[in-house]
């Protein structure tokens, strides 16, 4: 580690990790926000159907909060979802926003908190550092163990019909994140697997991030991978009962989020976004489909770092640095196999004739590609999709 390298690190100031914590959400927030009355919960229909939003909502009401709910978030949220949530927030003069759901709900919650009290429009804040002023108080409660959005300064919006565009700004860090595994206990195995692999990718890409890799994000990425790799299969196979595995997954995803908020993700995500945007493949699965191919491509530039991570994910791996880097790629592919996720682009309905479109779109993800340890040309992107086909 080069200790002379300059870096800065930021994260959410308060993190509460406690199974069952959201049953007392009202008391928790009343103690922190004594003068607030109007609260908006941002969630989606899928989570609402679990009934798990009932207890936190009742607890907020018992603590004298007036609770409005926006439950129309859809996966990979398009702009109109944010506008609708914003209209509701303004109508009810919302004073505090709670994201309760997966990355999609939390990303919408961030933008509502930022825009509700602002004269800026959504289109003005795309990109890095374009948010002006402050935001409404914001509390994030993940119900998937994946994106780490509860501790990142990033929000991802589907713009137009297919493109995924990021907003990155310090105002997007929440005031508080609450990790409560009781909310993830009913998460279906396929969603658990895909979102868990997304979290592992955050850790891997943070650890090899080209410009902002730093000692804090390295430590977080390693700890995240330890937790995620040891508990992913348990959470998929016995997630309905195994609260310890579920809390470990939430913790791992959050730590990976802290890592990549400060050492950003790269080509795996750049290649995954078009798959999600154009073909509506869930974000974690999109990552998983291209992951082994990008790892092998990148190994030419960062085999040493992959070999270090292999010692965490596959501690029995032996041999040269290159052999251990390859063991990491194999191990990541095995997570997809064991958990029954699709392994090829064809399995999710993508054909050879789609690869040009995907490659063109991936090249637009310049924010992400710039972080990749090895430069990616358009030909490289096309070849990587072909390997994944
Ligand atoms: N902001 C960031 O830092 C960041 C990082 C990575 C990804 N993302 C974005 O996050 C989004 C993906 O988020 P995600 O993978 O968490 O999925 P998601 O939020 O889209 O949810 C996926 C599905 O899981 C269901 N679900 C969620 N919690 C559940 C529960 N506890 N029980 C049963 N069903 C449940 C939802 O209803 C939904 O159908 C994408 O838009 C992606 O681009 C953001
Ligand atoms: Fe991701």
């Amino acid at each position: 580690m080069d200790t002379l390298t300059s870096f800065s690190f930021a994260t959410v100031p308060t993190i509460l990790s406690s199974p069952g914590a959201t049953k007392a959400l009202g008391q928790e927030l009343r103690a922190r926000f004594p003068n607030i009355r109007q609260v908006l919960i941002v969630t989606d229909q899928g989570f609402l159907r679990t009934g798990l939003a009932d207890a936190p909502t009742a607890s907020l009401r018992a603590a004298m909060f007036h609770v409005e709910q926006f439950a129309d978030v859809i996966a990979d949220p398009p702009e109109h979802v944010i506008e609708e949530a914003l209209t509701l927030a303004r109508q009810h003069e919302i004073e505090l926003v709670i994201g309760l759901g997966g990355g999609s709900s939390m990303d919408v919650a961030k933008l509502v908190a930022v825009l509700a009290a602002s004269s800026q429009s959504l289109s003005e804040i795309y990109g890095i550092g374009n948010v002006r002023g402050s935001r409404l108080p914001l509390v994030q409660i993940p119900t998937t163990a994946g994106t780490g959005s509860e501790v990142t300064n990033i929000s991802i919006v589907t713009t137009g019909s297919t493109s995924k565009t990021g907003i990155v700004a310090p105002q997007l860090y929440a005031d508080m994140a609450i990790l409560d595994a009781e909310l993830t206990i009913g998460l279906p195995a396929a969603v658990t697997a895909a979102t868990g692999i997304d979290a592992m990718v955050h850790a891997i890409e943070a650890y090899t991030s080209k410009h902002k890799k730093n000692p804090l994000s390295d430590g977080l990425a390693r700890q995240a991978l330890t937790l995620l790799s040891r508990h992913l299969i348990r959470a998929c196979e016995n997630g309905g009962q195994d609260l310890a595995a579920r809390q470990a997954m939430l913790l791992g995803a959050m730590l990976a989020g802290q890592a990549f908020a400060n050492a950003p993700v790269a080509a795996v995500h750049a290649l995954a976004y078009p798959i999600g945007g154009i073909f509506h493949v869930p974000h974690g699965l999109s990552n998983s489909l291209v992951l082994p191919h990008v790892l092998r491509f990148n190994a030419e530039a960062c085999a040493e770092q992959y070999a270090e991570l292999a010692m965490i994910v596959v501690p029995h791996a032996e041999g040269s640095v290159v052999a251990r880097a390859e063991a990491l790629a194999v191990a990541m592919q095995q997570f997809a196999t064991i958990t029954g996720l699709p392994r090829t682009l064809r399995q999710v309905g993508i054909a050879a004739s789609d690869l040009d479109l995907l490659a063109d779109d991936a090249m637009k993800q310049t924010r992400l590609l710039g972080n990749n340890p090895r430069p990616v040309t358009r030909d490289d992107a096309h070849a990587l999709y072909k390997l994944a086909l």
Side-chain angles (χ1 to χ4, degrees):
M1 186 197 304
D2 179 2
T3 51
L4 294 178
T5 305
S6 305
F7 75 97
S8 70
F9 186 91
T11 194
V12 165
T14 304
I15 291 157
L16 173 61
S17 178
S18 167
T22 57
K23 287 201 185 101
L25 183 63
Q27 289 153 270
E28 191 63 52
L29 297 193
R30 184 47 79 209
R32 283 166 205 277
F33 304 100
N35 301 318
I36 281 180
R37 183 166 158 75
Q38 298 294 102
V39 170
L40 178 70
I41 294 179
V42 177
T43 187
D44 71 8
Q45 294 293 334
F47 181 69
L48 212 56
R49 270 197 297 277
T50 65
L52 290 164
D54 296 350
T57 305
S59 136
L60 286 166
R61 292 196 169 122
M64 306 308 287
F65 288 103
H66 178 88
V67 185
E68 290 295 329
Q69 197 175 59
F70 178 82
D72 290 332
V73 172
I74 51 180
D76 304 303
E79 291 178 306
H80 72 84
V81 167
I82 291 123
E83 298 295 352
E84 285 158 26
L86 200 51
T87 303
L88 189 72
R90 286 184 175 141
Q91 263 169 12
H92 294 279
E93 298 180 6
I94 292 301
E95 299 166 282
L96 178 139
V97 182
I98 301 174
L100 176 64
S104 299
S105 295
M106 291 190 286
D107 282 4
V108 172
K110 287 177 183 176
L111 297 175
V112 170
V114 158
L115 293 171
S118 165
S119 58
Q120 285 186 293
S121 66
L122 179 55
S123 60
E124 286 173 78
I125 63 171
Y126 286 115
I128 302 176
N130 295 325
V131 175
R132 288 195 307 268
S134 57
R135 55 152 174 76
L136 296 181
L138 174 64
V139 174
Q140 297 282 35
I141 308 173
T143 67
T144 62
T147 68
S149 177
E150 68 275 14
V151 290
T152 73
N153 55 343
I154 308 164
S155 187
I156 310 284
V157 180
T158 303
T159 46
S161 53
T162 57
S163 287
K164 305 253 298 195
T165 310
I167 293 145
V168 186
Q171 291 92 334
L172 298 191
Y173 283 118
D175 295 298
M176 183 179 193
I178 303 178
L179 309 181
D180 175 1
E182 288 185 5
L183 301 178
T184 66
I185 212 84
L187 197 64
V191 184
T192 304
T195 50
I197 291 177
D198 181 32
M200 292 174 88
V201 175
H202 296 157
I204 294 170
E205 293 210 283
Y207 199 73
T208 54
S209 197
K210 189 170 167 119
H211 304 293
K212 294 192 173 169
K213 178 177 166 65
N214 67 78
L216 275 177
S217 61
D218 281 355
L220 292 161
R222 295 174 65 92
Q223 180 71 35
L225 264 188
T226 304
L227 286 164
L228 295 164
S229 61
R230 292 193 190 150
H231 293 93
L232 180 71
I233 307 291
R234 249 172 83 180
C236 288
E237 289 178 351
N238 194 27
Q241 271 106 49
D242 197 336
L243 199 63
R246 291 294 195 183
Q247 194 71 26
M249 291 300 292
L250 272 178
L251 206 47
M254 186 276 291
L255 295 169
Q258 290 184 314
F260 90 87
N262 294 281
V265 292
V268 180
H269 273 74
L271 267 66
Y273 278 144
I275 299 173
I278 302 168
F279 296 96
H280 303 291
V281 174
H283 174 72
L285 176 54
S286 306
N287 273 305
S288 173
L289 290 166
V290 294
L291 175 63
H293 311 290
V294 178
L295 290 180
R296 290 188 176 113
F297 172 83
N298 282 350
E300 207 168 279
C302 61
E304 191 91 45
Q305 288 156 8
Y306 287 162
E308 287 166 17
L309 297 182
M311 299 316 288
I312 295 171
V313 179
V314 262
H316 54 274
E318 289 175 349
S320 65
V321 163
V322 172
R324 279 179 284 135
E326 171 60 18
L328 179 69
V330 171
M332 291 309 298
Q333 214 158 6
Q334 272 168 355
F335 281 117
T337 310
I338 296 168
T339 56
L341 289 181
R343 298 266 308 278
T344 66
L345 295 180
R346 278 204 184 88
Q347 285 174 293
V348 297
I350 297 173
S353 55
D354 297 318
L355 301 191
D356 278 321
L357 181 63
L358 287 171
D360 287 341
D361 223 44
M363 294 317 286
K364 292 182 195 154
Q365 298 290 339
T366 49
R367 174 177 74 84
L368 302 176
L369 290 172
N371 304 318
N372 203 53
R374 182 178 167 188
V376 180
T377 65
R378 201 251 180 217
D379 284 350
D380 294 331
H382 193 280
L384 287 164
Y385 283 126
K386 204 166 172 195
L387 286 168
L389 193 62

